[in-house]
Amino acid sequence: MKFNQFGRLTPDLTNQISELESIHFLPRNWNQQAPADLLAYLFSRCFPEVHENSEVQDREHRILVDAHTSLADLLAGQPTSIRRTEFYTAALQLLGFVVADDFPDLDSLGAMAKWQLPTIEADPIKGTDLVAAFYLLLNTRGKNGQTFLDILTSRGFFNQFFGAGEQPHFVIFNGKSQAVFDTRRIIREVVYVESDLDTDEDGQRDLLQTTIFRPRETEHGLAVPVLYTANPYFRGTNDMAPVSYNVNADLTPKIPNQTTYEDVAYHAPQQTPPSARQASGTAKEASELPVDPGIYSLNDYFLARGFATVYAGGIGTRGSDGIRTTGGPEETASTIAIIEWLHGDRVAYTNRTDNVAIKAWWSTGNVAMTGKSYLGTLAIAAATTGVAGLKTVVSEAAISSWYDYYRENGLVVAPVDCQGEDTDVLALDTFSRRKDAADFARIKPIYDKMMADLKKGQDRDTGNYNTFWDARNYRNQADRIKIDFISVHGLEDWNVKPRNVERLWAKLRDLPINKKLFLHQGKHIYMNNMQSIDFTDMMNLWFCYELLDVQNDAPTILPNVTVQDNAKPETWHRYTDWSAPTTPRTQYFFTGHDLQAAPPRQEEIVAFRDDGVPLFLAGDQNDHTWEQLLMSQQPSVYEHTRRLFTTAPFTKDRYIDGVMTVTIQVAVNKDAGQISCMAVDYGKERRLQENPAILQAGGQLLGYQWATDDVKEFKLAKLPNECQQIAKGHMNLQNRHTPWQNEPLAPDQFVTLHFALQPTAYHLLAGHRLGLLVYATDMGMTKRPATAATYQLDLNACRLEVPYRR
């Protein structure tokens, strides 16, 4: 175990005392108490679930401070101080660690150091050092990954604030909002925000169903900020399998053209929306209750801490008007309409029919957006509009350009495990209005038109970048982002591939905003419940700074870039940047089967045969099995379908930082072709698994008698394997300069391709080798031609460039 903690503040003693008094952990006359009484009092505060002294003593009898003494026995002796080893032996047990399992030798200080948990140096601990020790303990992470104060909160520590006579208010401790809000009495309601859109062409502005969860304390005069998640899946999904495309098809030669970017650039049309509804009256309370719960545990965590949470599916989802456009400008407008209402700039109604207007009177107007995948994508889209009220975004595993999701360099390239999916397939999947039969029947002609427009615009025939894709490239408007920004992405995410976050980060780099980046070694997942990193605490620090104007110095405290190490479990690195253009690059040349630093002299032309599709379709394999066979250096049925080049074993560890690029001189015996490249780490090793393991099911309690989350962590595989994919990339031979211009290709004509692999942050261990696979068909991502083809590589003009962090 290792506990990386980046979101803890270290205030001076005066502020520590003030904060402890504000949460009623330290009595205001503490410095007038006898030392033994103060010591006993502070330990008694660690058991909020019991109220009698006898019960407290019973709990203390269960905690050892040394091999022969319980905490109760120690305190019974009326000590005026406590030894450092005794304090931290007790502290570890309070934090959820089990002596017999975790530190049977009772070496508490050694365990704390090994697990990277903080301690104070005073020994013995007494007086103000005792106060400082408890302040630090409350902000120390327990075995479930949460701070001790969060652990106490889940056991009722802050119940003293529920129903208090004073005006409800936020309680800030160590720069973060605490769970002093009664989640047993949360107000749940639904409103309908009126947009400026009419995407279902019924002559009325589209209404957007919006689900709200807010603290009951808002009824008593407290205005609160909002965490808003735009979630197209919120009201359900449709089975998309029947409309998935068949990818077992030959590549089609493209007609050469002289298309420029200006030819495909998107320009928003001027449209006049229908007239707004006329309100028949106003109300303060909504008339509808939600039928769906919240879906994101990070939002639930903050709901207990006073932040309202809002979910909206947007146009075309059940309960709303309109149709889906899969990332189109209409979805951006639908997304920001909710923010405008929360900020007081747009009208909403209590239901769909009565035109009774309702304001977000309980909102401060300060909004943050959260969410993963499509949800985080819409957060990026909203940020590029400059909409008033949006203060920050925490966008996880999100798309910054839909072309980079479904296409690559003139090829149709699927997200992992989604072969045959495209924008129209996703539109059907999220078009939950279809579940209401009569509603769907009324708009089916418009739905059919939408599907036809998507099918035409996405252009699966060529895979080229066009106006349709340019309209869905949010990076075009990145310079409009004026708010502070957090991006989170998995380096093993082959659904929303890392290029989406790397190219957005490149746009954010020079903007005059605070921006932070988190890169974990997982797939398409959330990271807020990892044991080894205090992501939730960091977000608490961030949201308090951004939405509550708490001067906690969050932009300075949080690292600019936080990267999980792929070779060392529970290790997170802090950097100032990632994939910077100034990162030194090492060039490798192709020679025989090697990647070497010396330029080639007179290398041969080598070939491989792209005829693996019939083998793949006839075999009992999925694309993950195929990929392992392709990477392996052991004989396999796919060995002849690729060329492998490797470096010599590294004499020291190296860290790849950013985008590797390849230059390939290639010919194919047809008038259409594709090249794929994969960087691979070769070296027998137990590797970090790409899916985190559950350590404690429901082990994180997000408030008192409230929602829970599993405690997870990335673990090493039980057995070593010989290799691991680092990054890959693909290119159509006819799009060798841009994804919108088709160039001629004659059979056996050598052409030069230069393209980027997906970006990464990767730790190569000493003794390992870096390999590059060159092949054509990627069974999991590209089209799968049935007709065999022969590819030739001129090794004299092939190279790989790798950015290594110093």
Side-chain angles (χ1 to χ4, degrees):
M1 287 181 289
K2 280 194 251 179
F3 295 85
N4 299 268
Q5 191 165 9
F6 302 118
R8 185 182 69 247
L9 306 183
T10 54
D12 59 30
L13 181 62
T14 300
N15 283 315
Q16 291 181 35
I17 292 169
S18 176
E19 290 185 31
L20 288 168
E21 290 175 345
S22 73
I23 65 168
H24 307 164
F25 193 90
L26 185 67
R28 295 194 181 276
N29 65 342
W30 68 272
N31 54 358
Q32 299 173 20
Q33 291 189 352
D37 292 341
L38 178 62
L39 184 61
Y41 178 86
L42 291 173
F43 272 114
S44 74
R45 301 296 286 146
C46 298
F47 308 100
E49 68 275 18
V50 299
H51 303 289
E52 301 296 334
N53 288 337
S54 59
E55 295 174 304
V56 172
Q57 290 174 7
D58 175 67
R59 299 300 194 275
E60 291 172 344
H61 269 298
R62 305 179 196 180
I63 294 174
L64 282 177
V65 295
D66 62 35
H68 308 289
T69 309
S70 73
L71 177 59
D73 294 336
L74 174 73
L75 296 175
Q78 294 286 299
T80 59
S81 65
I82 184 171
R83 287 184 297 159
R84 187 167 175 248
T85 55
E86 293 171 333
F87 182 86
Y88 284 109
T89 300
L92 283 175
Q93 294 165 78
L94 292 170
L95 290 168
F97 297 93
V98 178
V99 171
D101 297 338
D102 299 317
F103 62 119
D105 56 3
L106 287 180
D107 180 10
S108 58
L109 296 178
M112 298 282 284
K114 179 175 67 174
W115 299 332
Q116 301 180 165
L117 297 175
T119 63
I120 69 166
E121 296 298 321
D123 193 10
I125 304 174
K126 59 183 178 179
T128 56
D129 288 331
L130 183 62
V131 174
F134 270 97
Y135 182 88
L136 184 59
L137 175 59
L138 289 173
N139 291 292
T140 298
R141 305 181 65 216
K143 190 174 181 178
N144 72 346
Q146 293 183 291
T147 65
F148 185 44
L149 185 54
D150 275 345
I151 294 170
L152 294 183
T153 297
S154 68
R155 288 159 44 194
F157 180 81
F158 282 119
N159 289 14
Q160 58 196 304
F161 287 86
F162 295 170
E166 59 188 305
Q167 186 74 8
H169 62 284
F170 287 86
V171 172
I172 306 300
F173 187 83
N174 200 242
K176 296 175 277 288
S177 184
Q178 302 303 311
V180 300
F181 298 88
D182 191 351
T183 50
R184 297 167 299 182
R185 303 173 67 236
I186 286 169
I187 294 173
R188 297 163 168 84
E189 57 190 350
V190 172
V191 302
Y192 291 84
V193 175
E194 185 181 63
S195 71
D196 291 339
L197 304 163
D198 181 19
T199 55
D200 52 17
E201 300 180 16
D202 64 353
Q204 288 191 309
R205 297 190 181 200
D206 294 340
L207 290 176
L208 307 172
Q209 187 186 75
T210 304
T211 297
I212 300 154
F213 304 95
R214 58 182 171 91
R216 172 70 62 176
E217 288 80 355
T218 54
E219 296 288 304
H220 303 290
L222 181 69
V224 299
V226 180
L227 302 188
Y228 162 42
T229 301
N231 180 10
Y233 308 108
F234 187 60
R235 296 303 319 279
T237 58
N238 301 302
D239 182 4
M240 65 185 184
V243 298
S244 292
Y245 289 92
N246 178 17
V247 298
N248 302 319
D250 287 347
L251 290 175
T252 303
K254 303 182 188 183
I255 300 172
N257 62 33
Q258 297 297 319
T259 302
T260 66
Y261 174 71
E262 288 70 25
D263 296 327
V264 300
Y266 172 75
H267 301 285
Q270 296 294 321
Q271 294 180 330
T272 302
S275 298
R277 292 168 176 80
Q278 294 300 309
S280 62
T282 62
K284 190 176 180 181
E285 302 296 331
S287 59
E288 182 178 335
L289 295 174
V291 296
D292 297 289
I295 51 87
Y296 184 16
S297 62
L298 185 71
N299 287 358
D300 289 338
Y301 174 89
F302 281 101
L303 184 53
R305 285 150 181 83
F307 296 75
T309 61
V310 168
Y311 296 91
I315 48 174
T317 60
R318 201 171 193 181
S320 296
D321 297 327
I323 55 172
R324 303 300 299 164
T325 61
T326 310
E330 303 85 358
E331 290 189 359
T332 301
S334 166
T335 299
I336 66 171
I338 312 301
I339 300 170
E340 291 169 332
W341 175 69
L342 292 167
H343 190 250
D345 305 324
R346 182 171 289 279
V347 69
Y349 296 100
T350 58
N351 59 45
R352 293 183 53 84
T353 57
D354 295 336
N355 292 349
V356 176
I358 185 170
K359 294 182 178 181
W361 52 266
W362 44 265
S363 168
T364 62
N366 293 339
V367 180
M369 290 193 70
T370 63
K372 171 177 72 75
S373 195
Y374 206 157
L375 293 59
T377 299
L378 293 172
I380 294 175
T384 65
T385 67
V387 60
L390 183 61
K391 300 299 183 182
T392 191
V393 156
V394 178
S395 175
E396 304 189 51
I399 298 164
S400 63
S401 167
W402 285 85
Y403 188 84
D404 289 341
Y405 186 66
Y406 284 124
R407 303 289 186 270
E408 186 175 4
N409 295 321
L411 290 173
V412 175
V413 174
V416 71
D417 298 327
C418 298
Q419 268 285 35
E421 185 185 309
D422 219 318
T423 64
D424 55 340
V425 180
L426 185 57
L428 168 58
D429 188 37
T430 56
F431 186 69
S432 50
R433 282 189 76 180
R434 185 172 175 269
K435 292 178 178 294
D436 293 323
D439 186 32
F440 178 52
R442 284 191 293 271
I443 62 166
K444 190 175 184 305
I446 300 302
Y447 164 81
D448 291 339
K449 177 179 178 294
M450 174 268 290
M451 292 292 282
D453 289 345
L454 290 176
K455 186 172 294 190
K456 178 181 178 181
Q458 69 194 15
D459 182 17
R460 287 185 67 88
D461 293 333
T462 71
N464 281 10
Y465 189 93
N466 58 22
T467 304
F468 175 90
W469 296 112
D470 200 54
R472 290 161 173 78
N473 185 349
Y474 308 124
R475 297 193 299 261
N476 289 340
Q477 291 83 39
D479 59 349
R480 299 181 189 172
I481 297 176
K482 309 300 181 185
I483 60 171
D484 293 347
F485 207 100
I486 288 181
S487 293
V488 182
H489 217 96
L491 293 166
E492 291 295 325
D493 189 346
W494 295 100
N495 183 314
V496 178
K497 296 175 278 292
R499 176 167 296 139
N500 281 278
V501 73
E502 192 270 340
R503 290 187 174 175
L504 179 63
W505 181 253
K507 294 282 189 178
L508 297 177
R509 180 179 284 115
D510 296 327
L511 294 181
I513 61 173
N514 295 309
K515 54 268 185 185
K516 307 295 176 182
L517 175 64
F518 294 85
L519 299 173
H520 59 77
Q521 293 295 336
K523 298 172 75 174
H524 197 60
I525 61 171
Y526 286 114
M527 65 169 284
N528 57 292
N529 55 354
M530 297 299 159
Q531 183 191 57
S532 65
I533 187 168
D534 60 333
F535 182 77
T536 297
D537 283 350
M538 288 190 278
M539 295 305 99
N540 196 333
L541 208 66
W542 186 261
F543 288 143
C544 285
Y545 176 85
E546 298 287 348
L547 302 181
L548 291 175
D549 198 28
V550 174
Q551 297 306 300
N552 56 24
D553 210 18
T556 302
I557 296 296
L558 302 191
N560 280 0
V561 177
T562 307
V563 181
Q564 185 185 18
D565 196 294
N566 59 282
K568 296 179 180 179
E570 300 150 1
T571 300
W572 297 80
H573 302 290
R574 291 173 286 182
Y575 300 121
T576 58
D577 202 355
W578 172 60
S579 191
T582 55
T583 302
R585 303 181 71 83
T586 297
Q587 192 162 235
Y588 295 103
F589 299 94
F590 294 21
T591 58
H593 298 286
D594 299 328
L595 294 173
Q596 65 178 36
R601 294 187 177 178
Q602 192 61 41
E603 294 298 323
E604 60 182 330
I605 292 175
V606 299
F608 63 88
R609 185 84 170 153
D610 184 41
D611 61 358
V613 172
L615 295 171
F616 175 79
L617 297 177
D620 185 22
Q621 301 157 0
N622 59 33
D623 49 283
H624 299 286
T625 307
W626 160 83
E627 191 169 79
Q628 289 299 316
L629 291 171
L630 188 77
M631 288 191 294
S632 176
Q633 293 187 281
Q634 306 302 316
S636 82
V637 294
Y638 298 112
E639 188 177 4
H640 68 284
T641 66
R642 47 78 160 169
R643 282 283 172 170
L644 171 61
F645 306 91
T646 63
T647 66
F650 291 101
T651 58
K652 62 179 183 179
D653 289 11
R654 303 298 299 268
Y655 293 85
I656 302 173
D657 179 75
V659 180
M660 292 178 278
T661 57
V662 292
T663 301
I664 303 289
Q665 186 90 345
V666 62
V668 63
N669 64 339
K670 296 185 173 298
D671 52 3
Q674 60 189 357
I675 280 289
S676 302
C677 290
M678 184 192 305
V680 183
D681 172 9
Y682 286 101
K684 196 165 186 179
E685 204 74 47
R686 288 177 60 205
R687 302 179 189 277
L688 209 63
Q689 295 177 308
E690 57 194 12
N691 285 313
I694 296 177
L695 304 183
Q696 300 176 48
Q700 288 189 345
L701 282 73
L702 309 181
Y704 178 69
Q705 296 182 1
W706 179 226
T708 65
D709 202 358
D710 298 333
V711 184
K712 294 185 176 183
E713 190 53 60
F714 294 98
K715 293 294 183 181
L716 291 174
K718 293 181 179 179
L719 299 174
N721 66 5
E722 63 167 320
C723 59
Q724 177 170 315
Q725 176 185 279
I726 301 173
K728 63 166 67 172
H730 313 83
M731 178 170 267
N732 191 306
L733 269 61
Q734 287 194 259
N735 294 90
R736 42 193 182 267
H737 288 98
T738 73
W740 49 78
Q741 181 182 359
N742 304 330
E743 300 187 53
L745 180 71
D748 298 318
Q749 171 196 357
F750 275 94
V751 295
T752 301
L753 310 181
H754 181 73
F755 61 98
L757 306 187
Q758 292 292 329
T760 190
Y762 194 89
H763 182 181
L764 281 163
L765 294 173
H768 287 214
R769 293 173 298 136
L770 174 62
L772 186 75
L773 286 167
V774 183
Y775 57 107
T777 299
D778 189 310
M779 302 299 175
M781 292 188 173
T782 68
K783 287 186 177 180
R784 304 170 184 156
T787 306
T790 298
Y791 287 80
Q792 300 181 78
L793 304 177
D794 183 349
L795 301 189
N796 293 287
C798 295
R799 65 183 183 273
L800 169 69
E801 292 184 9
V802 182
Y804 287 122
R805 183 178 290 277
R806 295 185 188 203

